[in-house]
Amino acid sequence: MARDDYRQYAPQARPARGLAFFALVLFALAALAHRFGSVPTPEFLWVLGIVVALALIALVFAIFALRRIWIEDDAGTGAAVVGLLLASIVLAPFAVGLQGFFANPRLTDISTDRIMPPAFAAANEGRDGRMNPIMAISPADAEAMAAAYPELVARSYALPLADLTQAVLRVATERGFVPLGRTSAADGETLEFIGYSYVLGFPSDVAIRLRAEGATTLVDMRSASRFGGHDQGENAKRIGNFLDALDYEVDVMTGVIVEEE
């Protein structure tokens, strides 16, 4: 017992715990503020950079502390382990984002129609100089889209335009899309929204084009990130999930699926 009273405390243990805790709190507060619109996205990206730096430093400190505890029999195991765990929790979302970066093509604008994608009218007017410009989809990007997301194609529904428009609006509301604009054409209309990523709330502009084709309606969808040079697959996921939800909504409307009350 006397020997334990004179054990040196690993000098990196407490800094590891403190830095990791601060990074976690900063990340949580900044993410909430950004998600609810209090912090603009460019400033939020700077905060994320600081969070990652703090978490990485805490992780290194924790590893060095645990190494010293193992070799020198120093005290401070609890603080070092807490620092290691908190730093890992903070870095986990960024690791997922890094996986998405390498698993998906470097794109920020995804459409089911790669030749004549739905047009952004309201979104184009609302983008400022810090946001990605809305541009035509290049042949190279269209080829990359087709290779990475072959399932993202236009969908045809056996419903008239008016009914399908209401179905689209219901699904958009359920998924938290914010209405942005509506453009009419001779054969249909295009609905524009702002969609947000699930966790951190990064905004993307969404255009859903509906065109009447006799007794059916053809739906094309486009999603374009406002910020960043790589969407990490977020836009393709948004389109796929939305169209799957629209399939379900149409099946309910046409009696293919009967929901229990």
Side-chain angles (χ1 to χ4, degrees):
M1 295 297 295
R3 181 175 178 273
D4 289 340
D5 294 338
Y6 295 97
R7 289 172 67 194
Q8 184 176 352
Y9 202 94
Q12 304 91 347
R14 289 194 180 98
R17 181 179 60 189
L19 283 173
F21 180 75
F22 180 70
L24 180 62
V25 172
L26 179 61
F27 181 41
L29 292 178
L32 287 172
H34 179 257
R35 192 68 182 84
F36 291 102
S38 299
V39 175
T41 298
E43 286 74 13
F44 179 56
L45 292 173
W46 280 104
V47 175
L48 290 183
I50 295 172
V51 167
V52 170
L54 290 173
L56 287 174
I57 294 172
L59 188 66
V60 171
F61 278 4
I63 292 172
F64 273 101
L66 290 171
R67 179 179 180 276
R68 185 179 177 98
I69 290 166
W70 178 263
I71 296 175
E72 304 293 338
D73 195 29
D74 284 355
T77 303
V81 169
V82 170
L84 182 68
L85 291 175
L86 292 180
S88 299
I89 291 172
V90 172
L91 292 172
F94 299 97
V96 173
L98 194 62
Q99 187 274 336
F101 181 91
F102 288 109
N104 296 278
R106 191 181 181 87
L107 299 170
T108 60
D109 189 350
I110 305 295
S111 176
T112 56
D113 187 340
R114 305 173 190 100
I115 299 175
M116 294 288 291
F120 287 118
N124 198 31
E125 295 177 359
R127 292 204 177 192
D128 59 34
R130 298 194 297 179
M131 300 179 185
N132 295 329
I134 294 175
M135 304 174 66
I137 295 176
S138 69
D141 286 351
E143 185 177 345
M145 257 181 263
Y149 315 117
E151 73 283 0
L152 297 185
V153 295
R155 299 198 185 181
S156 181
Y157 297 94
L159 281 177
L161 177 64
D163 290 346
L164 193 58
T165 299
Q166 294 305 311
V168 167
L169 290 172
R170 282 194 294 272
V171 174
T173 300
E174 291 169 359
R175 305 194 75 79
F177 287 9
V178 178
L180 193 60
R182 193 166 182 167
T183 305
S184 298
D187 59 347
E189 60 182 337
T190 299
L191 309 176
E192 292 184 64
F193 305 90
I194 302 174
Y196 296 91
S197 61
Y198 289 113
V199 179
L200 299 181
F202 288 112
S204 292
D205 287 301
V206 177
I208 303 173
R209 184 176 63 203
L210 300 96
R211 290 180 291 181
E213 293 188 340
T216 65
T217 303
L218 187 69
V219 176
D220 276 295
M221 186 169 176
R222 183 180 183 183
S223 181
S225 303
R226 288 189 169 188
F227 298 93
H230 196 309
D231 70 359
Q232 301 167 358
E234 182 70 30
N235 288 307
K237 187 184 302 182
R238 176 178 295 109
I239 293 174
N241 290 342
F242 186 94
L243 293 179
D244 288 345
L246 184 59
D247 288 346
Y248 183 89
E249 181 70 20
V250 171
D251 285 344
V252 171
M253 293 173 64
T254 56
V256 175
I257 295 176
V258 178
E259 292 185 326
E260 296 182 2
E261 296 183 1

